[in-house]
Amino acid sequence: MTKKILPVKGMHCASCSTIISKKVSNLEGIQSVTVNFATEKAIIEFEEQKISITEINAEISKLGYFLEDFEEKNSSVGIDTRKAEKMEELLEMKTKTQFVLPIALFLFFLMMWDISAKTLPFIPNVPIPMNILNIMGMILSTVVLFWIGKPFLQGVQRFFTYRVANMDTLIGIGTLVAYLYSTIITLFPDIKIFFQLPDYTYFDVTIVVIGFVVLGKYLEASSRLQTGEALEKLMGLQAKTATIIKDGKEVEILASTVQVGDIVVVKPGTKIPVDGEIMEGKSSVDESMITGEPIPVDKKPGDRVVGSTLNKQGNLKIMATQVGTQTILSQIIKMVEEAQGSKAPIQALADKISSIFVPIVLGIAVVTFIAWLTFGTSALGFSVALSYGILSFVGVLVIACPCALGLATPTAIIVGVGKGAQYGILIKNAEALEKLSTVNTIVFDKTGTITHGKPEVTDIIVIDSRWTENKILQITASIEKLSEHPLAEAIVIKAEEQKISLQKVENFTAKEGIGVEATIDGQWISVQKPNANDATENVLQVLQKEGKTVVVLSVEHQKIGYIALADTIKLGAKEIIEKLQKKGINIFMLTGDNHLTAEYIAKQVGITNVIAEVLPAEKAKKIKDLQLEGKKIAMVGDGINDAPALVQADVSIAMATGTDIAIASAGITLLSGDIQKISQALDLSKTTMRTVKQNLFWAFIYNVIGIPIASGLLYPVWGIILNPIFAGLAMALSSVSVVLNSLRIHTKKL
């Protein structure tokens, strides 16, 4: 099964995405298809042996749409190409807007003057004879309709040919009817006299409606370009070139051509072009573009580095381990792109309405026109009823555009996902973002999530006063340097941090399950776990109650001190737990560790709900039990043993410092492994979903109120009839307002 994210050309409204989805999903070999109007992209899963993108295009191109099948478009070249295409389209829209808008505004001014002159006696009539206005209007509207309005006419043609309708169809039918009626009574005055029709024509309606709609589409397209800024910035972070060592010489090549195993030279102040491992050199690396953290990270030989991060100081030689689309940044870009193109569950209602909206509106417009002729003729006369019928017919078609409805959810999702990426919060899909806003319970794994996930020396206890803490650490570290045990590594690291020099060790022996022995300066030394005799000592009992692991140092069989080690709590863990609790979130700790250690760690950070000694397979069941109590669960973890629980939870949050399996299982990934970002993710989800609901509310209300007014339902009571010109203006403003409201997410501080 192949999955591709492809740009779509030819989309003009939310109905377009529905048309493409329906058409493509019915083709053989298509597993799934999601078309997003806001991003103008389609995510398609298909079987390449059964169907190709060329064959898909053959089906949808007749409807006016086209999939651009570019290879490896997740590059900065790809984004530059797409942006150039969008800027070219925007420039064309701007040219058309600049042409039609002055004409539309002039005719709008004349129309308002004419209306005012008929209602206010002190305002003179328009000083241009009606016949001249009609001829001038016919010429201008012909140019505007058949040039500027060509996409709308193509929408009408496709409607009658293929029975598919979108926003262009509505605008096209409305303006075409107004134009044809006006042209007929202008060129054939005998028809006007025979039916006793008024002199008034609707050329101005054709021009002004198209003018306002084109202006709205231009403003909307300009605003929508801003919604994708986050993804564009991510792509712009990618290094363009790389310097590799080839035949003993430094050679500069394109970063996209670096191969796994190549040795890459990175000078100070330049970007690291690929993911890799440092072979030579030390430096500080700015990883803020991945983690969101501003403080550079010290790197040395053996450390891993991430492509597109910035080498701040020393010269580095790096062996490439991940290149091209396999780098961490490329994977992040792909996930952000997929998330921005995915659909939140809340969008399902809007999509369903949009899919049936256009046919319903066409039906309402026809019924409105017939109703005016049927009931209006007896009350107002045929000519007036026909005039109002045409105005209402066109008004309903124009004001009922479903664009605002179609843009309501995806624009907010795009901005929300992009803002999250800038903060180091990687959101896998829109569903995870929506579900996070409903979470009332967060379950934390302990190791690697609340704690660092590796032991550190916490206490050095001196038993024999002839020895000092530093001397105990020096002897223990000297021996443990030869051991492969994880606790041994922690002791050695502690000695290195305190710049304690190690001593020469002889006769080293490791006793499995007990400890190690050796001689230093001829003295027999042992480092081992406590035995039954040690268990009675108060200091040891206190350390063990705190969940710490203790090793005993003995010299010539005399016990001289204890070294205690523990998995230490992450900086800020206590503060983030308190912050979440203040937001009304229930906090649980779920761990496979023993009750003693779990309770101690939980107490340190303020967690009262502890579920300990749980096997990996049981973690998912514990999550399910909490869900059965009515809790909406977000699970936070980092290890392979957390994967089942992450999948079971309503929302899964993984530390990017953890395993690939945990990250793959998660809906949200915290790139720096900083749990303080959980509060930011929660705020982001609530802000985004609040914006979605605001957008949907106003889009629904706009159509619920607008269509009845445009159809003339208020005329019998208040004598109000909506001119299609105002309908076009309102329609344009509704789409722009939805996009601008979504862009407000950019301004929110997390």
Side-chain angles (χ1 to χ4, degrees):
M1 193 67 66
T2 301
K3 184 176 184 180
K4 286 192 175 185
I5 305 173
L6 304 174
V8 185
K9 283 196 167 185
M11 289 206 297
H12 302 291
C13 69
S15 297
C16 293
S17 61
T18 304
I19 291 168
I20 298 170
S21 294
K22 282 185 175 180
K23 187 68 177 176
V24 174
S25 61
N26 289 330
L27 299 175
E28 185 182 0
I30 299 295
Q31 179 70 24
S32 68
V33 56
T34 301
V35 182
N36 192 311
F37 168 50
T39 60
E40 295 186 27
K41 290 179 183 176
I43 302 175
I44 303 177
E45 285 188 86
F46 62 101
E47 298 178 53
E48 282 191 298
Q49 61 270 31
K50 290 186 178 181
I51 194 167
S52 66
I53 299 300
T54 303
E55 289 171 317
I56 296 173
N57 274 330
E59 292 295 323
I60 65 172
S61 59
K62 62 183 74 170
L63 305 180
Y65 310 112
F66 184 78
L67 299 173
E68 292 184 303
D69 187 15
F70 293 109
E71 292 297 326
E72 306 299 349
K73 271 288 201 172
N74 283 340
S75 64
S76 57
V77 176
I79 191 63
D80 289 342
T81 302
R82 286 206 293 272
K83 187 174 182 181
E85 290 172 354
K86 294 305 297 180
M87 293 304 295
E88 189 176 334
E89 291 175 17
L90 201 60
L91 182 61
E92 183 181 351
M93 293 172 71
K94 183 179 180 180
T95 302
K96 290 182 176 180
T97 303
Q98 288 175 334
F99 173 83
V100 72
L101 200 56
I103 300 171
L105 291 174
F106 174 69
L107 292 175
F108 182 71
F109 170 74
L110 289 181
M111 184 196 74
M112 296 304 296
W113 185 350
D114 185 53
I115 292 173
S116 300
K118 289 176 180 177
T119 54
L120 302 172
F122 59 87
I123 295 180
N125 291 325
V126 177
I128 304 175
M130 185 59 71
N131 61 333
I132 294 177
L133 273 176
N134 286 344
I135 295 297
M136 181 176 69
M138 184 175 70
I139 295 171
L140 290 173
S141 63
T142 300
V143 176
V144 169
L145 180 63
F146 291 94
W147 176 40
I148 309 296
K150 185 179 178 181
F152 306 134
L153 296 181
Q154 290 172 334
V156 176
Q157 180 262 324
R158 283 191 288 269
F159 171 66
F160 287 109
T161 305
Y162 302 109
R163 298 293 184 271
V164 292
N166 57 12
M167 168 208 155
D168 288 354
T169 309
L170 299 180
I171 303 299
I173 291 176
T175 53
L176 186 61
V177 166
Y179 173 80
L180 291 176
Y181 169 82
S182 304
T183 301
I184 288 170
I185 66 170
T186 300
L187 296 179
F188 306 100
D190 291 342
I191 294 177
K192 178 179 64 176
I193 295 169
F194 179 79
F195 286 105
Q196 296 182 331
L197 300 174
D199 289 334
Y200 192 80
T201 58
Y202 302 110
F203 292 123
D204 54 350
V205 169
T206 300
I207 294 170
V208 178
V209 165
I210 289 176
F212 283 160
V213 170
V214 169
L215 173 63
K217 288 168 79 72
Y218 170 69
L219 294 175
E220 176 194 311
S222 300
S223 301
R224 277 165 51 198
L225 272 180
Q226 298 177 46
T227 64
E229 280 183 350
L231 184 61
E232 182 181 329
K233 287 178 181 177
L234 282 173
M235 290 182 170
L237 291 172
Q238 294 175 313
K240 305 293 189 298
T241 61
T243 301
I244 67 169
I245 296 178
K246 189 174 183 180
D247 299 329
K249 297 181 180 179
E250 293 186 6
V251 181
E252 187 173 290
I253 61 173
L254 291 174
S256 58
T257 61
V258 176
Q259 302 293 315
V260 172
D262 282 349
I263 301 300
V264 182
V265 178
V266 185
K267 292 180 171 59
T270 60
K271 287 182 179 179
I272 297 170
V274 293
D275 294 0
E277 181 179 329
I278 296 177
M279 307 304 290
E280 291 183 25
K282 294 182 180 180
S283 181
S284 291
V285 177
D286 181 357
E287 296 185 335
S288 58
M289 70 95 183
I290 291 290
T291 65
E293 300 300 325
I295 301 173
V297 180
D298 290 335
K299 298 286 185 177
K300 61 184 185 302
D303 288 344
R304 300 187 67 81
V305 290
V306 177
S308 302
T309 54
L310 184 63
N311 179 25
K312 301 284 286 185
Q313 294 177 333
N315 284 296
L316 297 175
K317 287 186 179 180
I318 297 165
M319 183 176 71
T321 56
Q322 303 286 343
V323 299
T325 58
Q326 300 304 311
T327 63
I328 289 177
L329 181 60
S330 292
Q331 294 300 310
I332 289 172
I333 290 170
K334 184 179 179 182
M335 288 182 72
V336 170
E337 194 170 21
E338 284 192 24
Q340 289 186 335
S342 64
K343 293 186 177 182
I346 197 173
Q347 193 175 342
L349 178 61
D351 285 347
K352 190 171 184 180
I353 292 174
S354 295
S355 67
I356 61 174
F357 199 73
V358 173
I360 288 175
V361 168
L362 282 169
I364 292 173
V366 171
V367 169
T368 296
F369 181 72
I370 294 172
W372 271 109
L373 291 183
T374 303
F375 302 107
T377 300
S378 59
L380 305 171
F382 176 74
S383 62
V384 176
L386 177 63
S387 178
Y388 284 170
I390 292 173
L391 284 174
S392 297
F393 177 81
V394 176
V396 167
L397 293 178
V398 171
I399 204 168
C401 169
C403 281
L405 197 60
L407 289 168
T409 300
T411 51
I413 295 296
I414 291 168
V415 179
V417 169
K419 188 174 181 70
Q422 291 175 333
Y423 275 78
I425 302 166
L426 189 59
I427 299 162
K428 195 172 188 178
N429 52 52
E431 183 178 1
L433 189 63
E434 179 178 340
K435 286 185 175 180
L436 184 60
S437 68
T438 67
V439 161
N440 56 28
T441 303
I442 297 180
V443 178
F444 287 92
D445 171 50
K446 179 181 73 68
T447 307
T449 303
I450 292 176
T451 65
H452 287 99
K454 59 181 181 179
E456 294 180 16
V457 173
T458 58
D459 305 89
I460 300 175
I461 309 297
V462 179
I463 296 174
D464 188 332
S465 60
R466 291 174 297 176
W467 299 81
T468 64
E469 289 186 11
N470 279 357
K471 190 63 177 177
I472 288 173
L473 181 59
Q474 181 188 43
I475 293 173
T476 308
S478 298
I479 295 175
E480 294 286 22
K481 178 75 173 177
L482 303 177
S483 173
E484 297 178 353
H485 197 281
L487 295 180
E489 183 183 3
I491 293 170
V492 173
I493 289 173
K494 183 68 174 179
E496 290 175 350
E497 288 175 352
Q498 296 191 7
K499 295 182 169 49
I500 294 175
S501 59
L502 303 185
Q503 294 180 279
K504 184 180 179 181
V505 175
E506 297 176 326
N507 305 317
F508 175 84
T509 304
K511 294 185 176 181
E512 188 175 349
I514 298 175
V516 293
E517 297 176 355
T519 56
I520 296 178
D521 293 334
Q523 290 184 304
W524 177 87
I525 313 287
S526 76
V527 180
Q528 61 185 27
K529 67 181 184 179
N531 56 35
N533 294 329
D534 300 319
T536 59
E537 295 192 19
N538 289 334
V539 64
L540 182 60
Q541 291 175 354
V542 170
L543 291 171
Q544 290 179 330
K545 282 181 180 178
E546 292 176 353
K548 296 175 181 177
T549 300
V550 181
V551 296
V552 182
L553 175 64
S554 299
V555 177
E556 295 294 346
H557 302 286
Q558 294 294 317
K559 186 163 53 182
I560 64 170
Y562 293 133
I563 293 182
L565 302 97
D567 185 2
T568 56
I569 294 168
K570 285 184 177 180
L571 185 67
K574 181 178 175 62
E575 289 75 15
I576 189 60
I577 298 299
E578 289 177 353
K579 186 182 290 187
L580 292 171
Q581 288 171 336
K582 286 179 181 177
K583 291 180 178 180
I585 303 294
N586 295 314
I587 306 296
F588 283 75
M589 179 192 286
L590 180 64
T591 178
D593 212 338
N594 65 74
H595 279 286
L596 197 65
T597 302
E599 291 285 355
Y600 178 76
I601 295 294
K603 186 178 179 181
Q604 295 292 101
V605 296
I607 297 176
T608 56
N609 302 306
V610 179
I611 305 172
E613 297 183 11
V614 182
L615 295 174
E618 295 174 340
K619 284 189 174 184
K621 183 181 181 301
K622 295 294 182 182
I623 295 293
K624 189 173 183 179
D625 290 343
L626 292 173
Q627 289 171 324
L628 291 174
E629 295 175 11
K631 294 179 172 65
K632 295 290 184 181
I633 306 290
M635 172 70 191
V636 186
D638 78 319
I640 293 174
N641 62 335
D642 296 322
L646 289 168
V647 172
Q648 177 63 43
D650 296 286
V651 183
S652 48
I653 303 173
M655 305 287 113
T657 49
T659 65
D660 291 340
I661 293 176
I663 294 170
S665 304
I668 296 172
T669 301
L670 307 182
L671 295 178
S672 64
D674 181 4
I675 63 172
Q676 294 196 63
K677 292 187 183 296
I678 293 172
S679 180
Q680 294 178 329
L682 204 61
D683 291 343
L684 177 64
S685 69
K686 290 184 182 296
T687 297
T688 303
M689 296 318 299
R690 184 165 55 247
T691 303
V692 167
K693 289 170 183 176
Q694 290 169 352
N695 288 348
L696 286 173
F697 172 79
W698 289 112
F700 274 120
I701 290 297
Y702 163 79
N703 284 295
V704 168
I705 294 175
I707 292 175
I709 295 175
S711 66
L713 286 181
L714 300 183
Y715 184 82
V717 182
W718 290 291
I720 296 175
I721 184 125
L722 184 67
N723 192 296
I725 288 172
F726 294 106
L729 180 61
M731 183 272 288
L733 292 176
S734 69
S735 295
V736 174
S737 65
V738 162
V739 177
L740 292 178
N741 189 46
S742 297
L743 287 171
R744 286 174 56 246
I745 298 173
H746 273 311
T747 66
K748 300 294 182 181
K749 186 176 180 181
L750 299 180

